[in-house]
Amino acid sequence: MPLEIVTVPCLSDNYAFLAHDPKSGETALVDAPEAGPILAELRARGWQLSHVLLTHHHWDHVDGLPAILEQYPAQVVGAAADAHRLPPLDKQVSEGDQFQIGGEPVQVMDVSGHTVGHVAYYLPQSHAVFTADSLMALGCGRLFEGDAAQMWTSLSKLAALPDDTLVCSGHEYTQSNGRFAMTVDPENENLKQRVAEIDKSRADGDPTVPSLLALEKATNPFLRAGDPTIQTHLGMEGADPVAVFAEIRGRKDRF
Ligand code: ZN
Ligand code: FE
């Protein structure tokens, strides 16, 4: 039975997520940008927190944790590779590890690039992946630590998940990501349509996260570095997708 997934807006543009198993009552929090909104959501729903899954060590993903743990003695899970710079972990995980939330398997994916050690959590039975600052809606995280090849490998792994996977990413950056995407993929009809829908959602104050993987594959330029139309637009026909990805990422950094 799929877990119930709730998006919790935090800080100015972060998202945390709750994944709740109605049968066992177990509830996982993915990232802890800020305690207040997360504790309020748990209280409003009457859910007991059992796990906290951390994606990476940046302050806007972990700073709310101590105040949350004061209320709920949850098991904290994070990357073994980052244990030295994450809050104290009860469980250290690496690529390929699997554990359970309620009855549901959670698979750990290394998605280094934004940071080296960034992990994603894939829930195959709920058709959801928690990607934080790796794959984002119409974007991807900045390369603070990893290089283009590493991020391209990470994004390619995520792109290989089933099309109906819900991409639960860490920030509301979608509108500006869309404006940038139009500069590298201007003829993409799916992208044009998505950008219009995003503008409407934001005008209505609605989040654009999570998003469907199929739509990311059709519109997110960072997943489309192998696409001939984008390559031609960039004057890089037939180039290695890693080089094309690096060009797109560089242009976004200067955008
Ligand atoms: Zn980050
Ligand atoms: Fe972040």
Side-chain angles (χ1 to χ4, degrees):
M1 187 164 148
L3 304 188
E4 189 180 338
I5 295 172
V6 174
T7 305
V8 186
C10 294
L11 302 172
S12 61
D13 58 29
N14 276 79
Y15 290 118
F17 298 91
L18 294 171
H20 175 73
D21 177 33
K23 208 167 161 199
S24 65
E26 289 196 351
T27 304
L29 166 69
V30 182
D31 282 343
E34 182 186 17
I38 293 164
L39 292 173
E41 193 69 47
L42 285 165
R43 256 183 249 117
R45 293 177 182 271
W47 291 352
Q48 299 293 322
L49 197 65
S50 54
H51 300 77
V52 181
L53 314 183
L54 299 175
T55 60
H56 67 297
H57 72 285
H58 284 160
W59 70 270
D60 62 313
H61 298 257
V62 300
D63 270 11
L65 188 63
I68 291 166
L69 292 178
E70 270 177 35
Q71 306 286 317
Y72 301 96
Q75 184 186 52
V76 181
V77 181
D82 267 346
H84 63 286
R85 57 183 182 176
L86 285 168
L89 300 176
D90 300 304
K91 185 186 190 67
Q92 300 188 11
V93 294
S94 308
E95 164 86 19
D97 284 355
Q98 185 165 309
F99 57 95
Q100 306 251 320
I101 303 289
E104 168 146 7
V106 179
Q107 295 172 4
V108 179
M109 300 172 73
D110 179 290
V111 290
S112 290
H114 175 67
T115 63
V116 174
H118 193 309
V119 290
Y121 297 95
Y122 175 47
L123 281 62
Q125 289 174 17
S126 294
H127 306 270
V129 65
F130 297 97
T131 59
D133 298 357
S134 58
L135 175 60
M136 303 171 106
L138 273 184
C140 75
R142 233 174 227 269
L143 302 179
F144 284 122
E145 297 179 2
D147 61 16
Q150 206 166 18
M151 183 61 110
W152 178 250
T153 300
S154 297
L155 295 180
S156 300
K157 273 195 280 188
L158 292 165
L161 297 177
D163 271 355
D164 67 348
T165 304
L166 204 58
V167 180
C168 302
S169 53
H171 289 272
E172 183 61 58
Y173 294 160
T174 320
Q175 202 165 29
S176 68
N177 286 345
R179 281 197 292 273
F180 169 73
M182 287 298 295
T183 68
V184 293
D185 199 12
E187 307 303 327
N188 183 336
E189 290 302 324
N190 290 316
L191 175 61
K192 285 186 210 172
Q193 194 188 330
R194 186 177 182 190
V195 164
E197 282 163 11
I198 288 160
D199 288 344
K200 180 167 189 321
S201 295
R202 295 311 292 154
D204 295 345
D206 294 333
T208 63
V209 172
S211 56
L212 209 56
L213 184 60
L215 185 58
E216 296 302 334
K217 284 161 70 176
T219 56
N220 185 330
F222 297 99
L223 293 182
R224 295 167 56 73
D227 183 83
T229 314
I230 289 188
Q231 293 195 350
T232 303
H233 186 79
L234 298 175
M236 298 180 78
E237 262 171 295
D240 180 349
V242 173
V244 180
F245 171 80
E247 173 65 23
I248 297 171
R249 188 60 255 179
R251 287 182 182 220
K252 176 68 165 68
D253 292 344
R254 298 186 297 272
F255 183 66

